Amino acid sequence: MPIKSDDAYLSLRLKETCRADFLAGQYFDIRLEVHAPINGSEANGGKPDPNFTFTIAKKGSPQNASVYFNVPEPQLERWNFTWYEDLFARDNQKPSVVNVTAKAYRKVALYEAGEYTATLTYYNGTKTTASWLVRDLATVRKTKNIVLFIGDGMTTNMITAARLIAHRSVNGRYQTRMQMDQFPVVGHQMTHSLDSFITDSANSATALYSGHKSTVNALGVYADSSRSPTDDPKVESIAELFQRLTGGGVGIVSTAFIADATPAALTAHTRQRSQYGQVVDSYLNGITNYTWTNWTGPDVLFGGGAEQFIPGKTSFQGRDYYAAFAAKNYNVVLNNTALQKTANTTKTLGIFSVSNMAKWLDRNVYRNNLLGNKDSPDGKNGSATDQPGLKEMTVKAIDILQTRNHEKGWFLMSEAASIDKQMHTLDYDRALGELLELDDTVRATIAHLDALKTLNNTLILVTADHGHGFDVMGSVDTKYLNAQTTDRSKRDAIGTYRESGLSQYTNPNSEPGPTSNSSSQNNHTSQFYYTNGTFFPANWDPRYTLFSGVAATPDRRENYQVHKSGPRVPATNSTPGDYYVNYKDAPTGFVVNGTLPVDLDQGVHSLTDVPVFAKGPCQESFGGVYNNIDIFFAMADCFGLARDHE
């Protein structure tokens, strides 16, 4: 249900979007809605005006929108919806009913830079006006390629913690640096969404990719009140623009299931991010229910989420999407061995697991956790033990993109998705492992682009879509904590200020932590599947660990030790919507009361600004503090995507 109602919506939601910015030549849709509540505090008789008009003006007299855009006048639509005015109305089950008249203008664009005034006139002269700005950007291309790394949920505080556990410090000075630390330009982006100051990954990705704010759960659209989630007014993304205007290549890489919000927002257009089947179809076929930009598919699509490709109940319309991609001349690979062997000359689909891909910590340290999961991407219920990491997927994606598009250039989005997913489950060790894998991937990408002699032609960005309220406040003596018998005495194990000491994670000979949070086959941390000392912790289970946490949580237990047997499950429930402490998650820990509503079993996103690191052509455009939509406009400017004519 919509969470609020207005008498009129314009360009998607007028009273919420009285100001919107556009790239010259960027396609978008316009939805006009006149609302007439039947009941509630905004009731006006329930008869929406069917004779409303819509005009556009720029330095002159207003013109009817159909004339201005040279399109037929849209047909009038009618529907109704319900919503709750507040929590009291919800508790009393008293929704307000709203009747709607509406029209939609599809696939229009503004080509001249400057200010526009859009006016909706209804009810015999009532006017609602919006200001639109078409940014004055150059059409000259300044970079050949862009790599956009997204550390989902990553904050400066997380980067600081990752640095602490992976890089040795002597006398308070780090002896090595993270790759992100070495970028020449650092900025910060604000992540607020259209209808909330706390964003989710769908509308934050929409802002990064299209330059337009949207609502929670919306991908590439402004959410309207219609019944269908796939007819909402769309905005063209950076991937769609780049492919349409340059013919260059597009790569999409994620450690999440590939229909998840961050990769999905590059091609999908729906107000419900959970429309996973339509997301996968949009990767291959683009938007098919309405006239839209021509999309021929990405050169590279790598991630998890085999359940959306295997034919059956979980795939879109029961279709076999492995076969559908193969029919459009994609190589299809299902494990890392096949990925490394596949040709660089052909479009490639790589799906490496059911659901989200395995975490770095489990692939490289606690490898027994890869067994028995029934997550093989071939649908045969085996274990996906041969999964690539973010680094392997990204480097291979670059090889394919560069081979296929060395003349026209390419755009690549590579997402470290489980920084966010593990922060949600309060599994800070795995989240920081994912962040360190991202940094290692950035390092490998720079070296690989240099070897390919295209580093100087490539803008590299590292940023996040939103944050979590995470920080480190001290250390924990886990041996002492586990020896105590009461919750209050266990808290004495926490050391703050001087008693926090120094990081033990970089010392392979440091005293190990007590056996806990583990299955017997995973008690040993010395069997690394990566080279010790290469920017990852030498000991993931020291006696003295980080006293860390997030601001908003469910009820839980904490003992501040790595969970060796797999990702955390901090809260559980026996009745729907009522979560409480999961004792098995940390048996030796103490209870920490949560602060979230009891129907939530995980942590949530936070308000914090998130960092932006830039290196390469146009790097100077990314310094300072700005809005998340400005990243889209800076990338579009660097690619020279603005167009002053059709």
Side-chain angles (χ1 to χ4, degrees):
M1 290 183 183
I3 60 171
K4 67 179 297 185
S5 174
D6 297 304
D7 287 338
Y9 282 7
L10 159 62
S11 179
L12 326 172
R13 287 199 174 197
L14 176 62
K15 291 190 177 179
E16 296 172 18
T17 54
C18 56
R19 177 62 179 249
D21 290 16
F22 297 85
L23 178 73
Q26 179 183 23
Y27 291 147
F28 63 98
D29 297 338
I30 304 169
R31 169 77 81 186
L32 310 168
E33 298 183 15
V34 177
H35 291 183
I38 295 174
N39 60 316
S41 64
E42 298 180 352
N44 66 359
K47 295 182 179 180
D49 185 2
N51 300 311
F52 60 83
T53 60
F54 178 49
T55 61
I56 306 290
K58 183 180 189 297
K59 297 180 181 178
S61 300
Q63 284 186 284
N64 180 278
S66 296
V67 175
Y68 192 91
F69 291 119
N70 193 26
V71 296
E73 182 68 21
Q75 291 185 342
L76 184 72
E77 303 172 73
R78 295 178 183 269
W79 63 76
N80 59 52
F81 67 89
T82 59
W83 69 293
Y84 292 115
E85 290 193 2
D86 57 24
L87 297 178
F88 296 107
R90 181 203 65 183
D91 291 346
N92 293 322
Q93 290 294 296
K94 291 184 177 180
S96 296
V97 180
V98 182
N99 290 329
V100 180
T101 52
K103 290 183 178 181
Y105 296 82
R106 302 288 181 183
K107 195 184 175 185
V108 298
L110 299 168
Y111 293 95
E112 185 180 355
E115 295 272 1
Y116 292 75
T117 300
T119 303
L120 178 64
T121 304
Y122 54 101
Y123 293 144
N124 297 318
T126 303
K127 295 181 183 295
T128 305
T129 302
S131 296
W132 293 344
L133 174 67
V134 176
R135 295 201 186 186
D136 189 9
L137 301 181
T139 58
V140 177
R141 189 166 175 174
K142 304 166 189 171
T143 190
K144 194 169 188 178
N145 316 307
I146 293 178
V147 182
L148 173 62
F149 287 105
I150 296 180
D152 200 306
M154 180 179 70
T155 66
T156 301
N157 292 356
M158 295 176 200
I159 295 170
T160 303
R163 186 187 302 116
L164 178 69
I165 66 174
H167 293 260
R168 187 165 177 256
S169 174
V170 176
N171 295 332
R173 298 184 180 186
Y174 286 102
Q175 304 303 293
T176 54
R177 303 171 68 193
M178 295 181 69
Q179 186 61 54
M180 284 182 272
D181 294 339
Q182 301 174 56
F183 271 50
V185 175
V186 180
H188 280 84
Q189 48 136 326
M190 299 172 280
T191 64
H192 320 302
S193 68
L194 185 67
D195 61 348
S196 168
F197 51 76
I198 304 296
T199 192
D200 85 318
S201 291
N203 58 357
S204 58
T206 297
L208 292 172
Y209 302 157
S210 73
H212 288 258
K213 300 276 190 178
S214 191
T215 58
V216 170
N217 294 323
L219 294 167
V221 299
Y222 284 89
D224 65 19
S225 68
S226 67
R227 290 184 174 87
S228 171
T230 59
D231 72 350
D232 298 33
K234 304 178 293 297
V235 184
E236 200 172 15
S237 75
I238 186 78
E240 293 170 323
L241 277 158
F242 181 73
Q243 188 182 89
R244 173 170 68 89
L245 296 176
T246 73
V250 173
I252 304 172
V253 173
S254 177
T255 54
F257 65 97
I258 201 63
D260 204 8
T262 303
L266 285 166
T267 64
H269 298 274
T270 172
R271 69 169 181 263
Q272 292 180 1
R273 58 183 285 181
S274 60
Q275 301 286 314
Y276 302 134
Q278 286 94 328
V279 169
V280 170
D281 191 74
S282 75
Y283 289 137
L284 184 63
N285 299 313
I287 299 303
T288 57
N289 59 335
Y290 291 98
T291 300
W292 192 237
T293 186
N294 183 40
W295 173 255
T296 60
D299 292 62
V300 171
L301 185 64
F302 293 163
E307 64 274 16
Q308 302 299 331
F309 292 81
I310 299 167
K313 293 180 180 179
T314 56
S315 68
F316 185 52
Q317 298 178 346
R319 294 180 61 191
D320 182 342
Y321 271 88
Y322 289 140
F325 273 81
K328 288 197 172 183
N329 300 316
Y330 279 80
N331 284 342
V332 178
V333 296
L334 303 181
N335 57 56
N336 187 40
T337 301
L339 175 67
Q340 301 310 319
K341 292 180 179 179
T342 197
N344 295 331
T345 55
T346 306
K347 287 184 174 184
T348 304
L349 169 70
I351 302 298
F352 305 107
S353 71
V354 170
S355 189
N356 301 308
M357 294 179 66
K359 313 306 174 278
W360 184 93
L361 195 60
D362 299 307
R363 285 187 290 104
N364 291 278
V365 182
Y366 304 117
R367 287 180 54 84
N368 285 325
N369 293 332
L370 301 181
L371 302 175
N373 296 320
K374 296 183 179 180
D375 60 349
S376 61
D378 58 7
K380 297 180 180 179
N381 291 327
S383 298
T385 56
D386 185 17
Q387 297 182 43
L390 185 68
K391 178 167 67 174
E392 290 77 22
M393 291 192 292
T394 302
V395 170
K396 184 64 175 181
I398 290 172
D399 283 339
I400 294 171
L401 289 166
Q402 181 65 15
T403 300
R404 290 176 51 82
N405 305 279
H406 61 277
E407 293 183 357
K408 294 182 178 180
W410 43 266
F411 170 83
L412 171 63
M413 189 286 297
S414 178
E415 181 202 17
S418 286
I419 300 173
D420 171 72
K421 297 184 186 304
Q422 296 307 295
M423 278 289 162
H424 273 296
T425 61
L426 317 184
D427 197 330
Y428 311 125
D429 295 289
R430 281 177 175 77
L432 296 181
E434 298 296 294
L435 196 158
L436 289 168
E437 181 183 34
L438 170 62
D439 194 65
D440 195 44
T441 302
V442 175
R443 180 180 292 106
T445 295
I446 292 172
H448 196 58
L449 290 171
D450 193 32
L452 293 174
K453 302 187 186 308
T454 193
L455 178 61
N456 293 334
N457 297 323
T458 304
L459 169 65
I460 303 173
L461 300 172
V462 186
T463 189
D465 51 350
H466 59 78
H468 288 257
F470 171 86
D471 210 342
V472 176
M473 292 71 65
S475 66
V476 181
D477 183 344
T478 58
K479 182 177 180 180
Y480 182 84
L481 184 150
N482 287 358
Q484 306 311 302
T485 58
T486 68
D487 282 7
R488 293 187 69 83
S489 62
K490 288 178 182 291
R491 287 164 58 180
D492 287 338
I494 294 171
T496 60
Y497 298 106
R498 184 176 62 186
E499 284 72 28
S500 64
L502 299 174
S503 171
Q504 301 297 304
Y505 291 84
T506 57
N507 181 1
N509 300 314
S510 62
E511 182 179 352
T515 300
S516 181
N517 298 341
S518 61
S519 55
S520 59
Q521 71 267 28
N522 276 330
N523 284 347
H524 302 289
T525 63
S526 59
Q527 300 300 312
F528 294 125
Y529 285 77
Y530 61 97
T531 304
N532 189 18
T534 54
F535 311 111
F536 289 92
N539 184 356
W540 279 96
D541 188 29
R543 171 178 172 178
Y544 295 92
T545 62
L546 299 184
F547 172 43
S548 59
V550 295
T553 69
D555 296 338
R556 68 198 188 281
R557 294 181 69 89
E558 289 287 0
N559 66 3
Y560 302 101
Q561 288 183 250
V562 63
H563 284 61
K564 299 177 185 177
S565 59
R568 288 189 71 177
V569 182
T572 188
N573 69 316
S574 56
T575 58
D578 186 13
Y579 286 92
Y580 54 89
V581 173
N582 179 14
Y583 175 82
K584 296 179 181 179
D585 181 60
T588 63
F590 56 88
V591 173
V592 182
N593 289 327
T595 55
L596 291 171
V598 297
D599 62 345
L600 297 180
D601 64 336
Q602 297 186 347
V604 296
H605 300 170
S606 70
L607 178 63
T608 185
D609 294 350
V610 295
V612 183
F613 302 88
K615 173 183 174 62
C618 311
Q619 64 186 32
E620 66 281 355
S621 299
F622 297 90
V625 179
Y626 40 83
N627 223 303
N628 51 7
I629 64 171
D630 295 311
I631 291 179
F632 163 80
F633 287 105
M635 289 192 298
D637 188 41
C638 202
F639 265 149
L641 297 181
R643 293 293 184 270
D644 57 9
H645 60 278
E646 191 168 358

